Amino acid sequence: QVQLVESGGGLVQAGGSLRLSCVASGSSYRLDRMGWYREAPGQQRELVAVYTGGDSTNYADSVKGRFTISRDSNKISVALQMNDLRPEDTAVYYCNAVLVRWNQPYNYWGRGIQVTVSS
């Protein structure tokens, strides 16, 4: 059973930085895509940043130039460096991974981690 373990997050003032990390347990899987989504109170979950295959990435327009996603090629993991944080970035951030085993994709979500940006 694969689990996504998230770390980082917390409370920061506007203009500050935080770093989120997500590591997938388990082995014998091929990574198809992995990244971060967020869900603010009363809003739908939205894409923040994701690796879509190889070294291709996709960012939400609202975070371009401020957030950077990176990954560790030695393990199934991603990190999200968040700079110049704004109050509107406040949300629960979820790690997501699509892993492939025996040519069958499996979609996994982390439990979520709170990011709060004060003005």
Side-chain angles (χ1 to χ4, degrees):
Q1 181 70 18
V2 173
Q3 288 186 327
L4 302 183
V5 180
E6 302 147 324
S7 61
L11 173 64
V12 66
Q13 289 187 332
S17 299
L18 286 173
R19 183 178 177 86
L20 305 181
S21 296
C22 175
V23 180
S25 65
S27 60
S28 303
Y29 287 83
R30 176 177 60 82
L31 177 63
D32 183 68
R33 57 185 287 150
M34 192 171 188
W36 295 91
Y37 291 71
R38 66 187 180 187
E39 189 172 321
Q43 298 186 22
Q44 290 187 334
R45 192 171 297 186
E46 63 174 1
L47 170 73
V48 178
V50 65
Y51 273 101
T52 56
D55 292 327
S56 298
T57 57
N58 189 24
Y59 290 89
D61 288 341
S62 60
V63 307
K64 286 180 180 177
R66 300 188 297 122
F67 291 11
T68 302
I69 190 170
S70 60
R71 66 177 183 175
D72 186 338
S73 59
N74 295 319
K75 54 186 178 181
I76 301 177
S77 70
V78 290
L80 185 68
Q81 178 66 40
M82 304 184 293
N83 298 327
D84 189 23
L85 282 160
R86 304 167 182 171
E88 53 265 39
D89 294 317
T90 295
V92 177
Y93 284 68
Y94 295 90
C95 181
N96 173 258
V98 177
L99 306 179
V100 179
R101 187 176 187 183
W102 302 111
N103 292 322
Q104 183 71 30
Y106 296 89
N107 190 39
Y108 296 97
W109 288 95
R111 299 181 68 175
I113 193 164
Q114 180 70 44
V115 171
T116 303
V117 184
S118 63
S119 57

